[in-house]
Amino acid sequence: MTEKQRAAVVHNPVKVDREDLERIVGALEAELGWEPTLWLETSVEDAGQGPAREALEAGVDVVVAAGGDGTVRAVAEALRGTGTSLGLLPSGTGNLLARNLDLTLSDAERALRVAFTGDDRAIDVALARLRREDGKTEEHAFVVMAGMGLDARMLSETDDDLKAKAGWLAYVHAISKVLRDPNELKFALRLDDGEARRVRAHTVIVGNCGSLPAGILLLPDAAVDDGVLDVVVLRPGSLLGWLQAISRVIWDNGVLRRLPWRKNAPERPSRALVYSTARTLDLRLTEPHEVELDGDAFGAAVALRVSVEPGALQVKVPFSD
């Protein structure tokens, strides 16, 4: 006799309507013959790691993250290396991992069916080790992108209430404030076992995935399962540099690369955007700067080390014939 399977749903009560989800999940349980689902809430104090570990202790077969990018990141952090699958019910503003896996963003019933019955896909997990100004260190996992500089300062300037009401439009005001800030990152950068080099830039982004909302392809060669990190250093230096950077991301990455005859064409060189890949990245700053992981602010750090764990997380994706 086959043992019945069981799911857990780790949900952000601010982002999702549990009553609606329970109706859909109940129908799936009855159809598939699964045990009653374990329901666990996130909180301000625990973004999802604790509930996900509780689900693991209960021996569930899949843990569904129902919330925004922060919930997904926290649950993924707890599940990495365990073999227990992560299901995704996108419920936030960005839904970045779901976007990069081409999962549905607006159909809860379809998303939950994939979470219960889909295939497992092994994806990489990135680990970020932050060193604070007082010498203390913290380690956090992420599955999409980490950044220092412009994007992290933008997040710290974004009004949470406005974000909840207006989505990505809430970032416009924050961006306008950050762009008036003349401060640059000054740091030593080392990729893998290479030589450290001194760099001045507005932003450094390390990615496991490359796509952002609105079809923006920031890291065009990034893949969730290639075992490497993609890095971009943004250093426009002038108005012309900003225009070059925007053109590269919006036009080259978003339009030209999608044309069949452009797939194998050489990239246009640009001093405003410098791309590279690595398995590890070490970054030491001359002064503390804000860090963001998967769209959430993680405070200021004076050093950052990012490494990749290839295939460390199983994620449910649509069943393939």
Side-chain angles (χ1 to χ4, degrees):
M1 181 176 176
T2 304
E3 186 176 344
K4 287 187 176 182
Q5 293 183 283
R6 189 186 190 192
V9 176
V10 176
H11 62 102
N12 182 336
V14 177
K15 300 276 187 180
V16 301
D17 185 334
R18 176 168 168 173
E19 185 176 345
D20 283 347
L21 294 187
E22 286 184 330
R23 175 183 55 80
I24 299 171
V25 168
L28 282 170
E29 291 168 354
E31 176 188 339
L32 301 172
W34 284 40
E35 294 281 0
T37 294
L38 177 63
W39 293 86
L40 301 163
E41 283 192 3
T42 67
S43 64
V44 174
E45 295 77 21
D46 191 329
Q49 293 95 333
R53 285 192 289 268
E54 185 177 340
L56 289 173
E57 291 171 1
V60 302
D61 299 280
V62 60
V63 181
V64 181
D69 294 319
T71 304
V72 172
R73 190 206 66 77
V75 174
E77 183 172 85
L79 296 186
R80 71 180 230 276
T82 66
T84 300
S85 300
L86 169 67
L88 297 175
L89 179 62
S91 308
T93 305
N95 301 318
L96 295 177
L97 183 58
R99 289 177 190 275
N100 281 273
L101 292 173
D102 294 323
L103 302 180
T104 181
L105 302 179
S106 57
D107 188 335
E109 187 168 354
R110 182 179 174 190
L112 285 166
R113 181 169 292 276
V114 169
F116 274 66
T117 67
D119 280 346
D120 283 326
R121 179 177 177 182
I123 71 168
D124 304 335
V125 175
L127 294 179
R129 187 175 181 82
L130 287 63
R131 189 170 79 240
R132 306 297 187 184
E133 193 173 15
D134 61 4
K136 294 180 180 179
T137 61
E138 300 174 12
E139 188 172 79
H140 303 280
F142 66 93
V143 289
V144 182
M145 295 180 192
M148 297 188 84
L150 179 66
D151 68 322
R153 294 203 306 276
M154 179 188 74
L155 287 169
S156 69
E157 293 285 352
T158 301
D159 182 273
D160 288 337
D161 291 337
L162 184 58
K163 180 180 173 183
K165 296 175 182 176
W168 280 86
L169 292 177
Y171 292 116
V172 173
H173 177 63
I175 291 172
S176 68
K177 292 174 68 175
V178 168
L179 289 180
R180 294 195 297 269
D181 184 353
N183 291 332
E184 288 184 316
L185 297 172
K186 299 174 185 177
F187 55 90
L189 175 68
R190 185 177 71 178
L191 302 178
D192 294 330
D193 296 324
E195 293 290 329
R197 52 193 174 90
R198 296 191 178 279
V199 181
R200 297 168 65 102
H202 279 80
T203 303
V204 179
I205 293 176
V206 187
N208 187 41
C209 306
S211 295
L212 298 174
I216 296 174
L217 191 57
L218 180 61
L219 300 169
D221 295 319
V224 295
D225 54 5
D226 60 0
V228 297
L229 302 163
D230 283 66
V231 184
V232 61
V233 177
L234 174 63
R235 48 181 188 184
S238 65
L239 177 59
L240 178 60
W242 280 111
L243 293 175
Q244 289 176 341
I246 293 170
S247 173
R248 177 71 180 272
V249 172
I250 302 298
W251 180 249
D252 288 23
N253 295 351
V255 179
L256 294 184
R257 286 180 65 96
R258 289 183 168 91
L259 299 176
W261 55 271
R262 283 283 301 185
K263 286 184 177 179
N264 298 317
E267 297 289 349
R268 290 189 301 165
S270 171
R271 290 180 57 84
L273 283 173
V274 180
Y275 288 96
S276 54
T277 59
R279 292 182 182 276
T280 60
L281 171 146
D282 287 284
L283 191 151
R284 297 194 314 273
L285 297 114
T286 58
E287 58 182 320
H289 280 276
E290 298 289 326
V291 178
E292 66 88 4
L293 303 176
D294 287 356
D296 282 342
F298 273 76
V302 295
L304 174 68
R305 178 179 176 83
V306 183
S307 58
V308 63
E309 292 187 340
L313 180 67
Q314 299 289 333
V315 180
K316 288 294 186 181
V317 296
F319 182 76
S320 57
D321 296 328

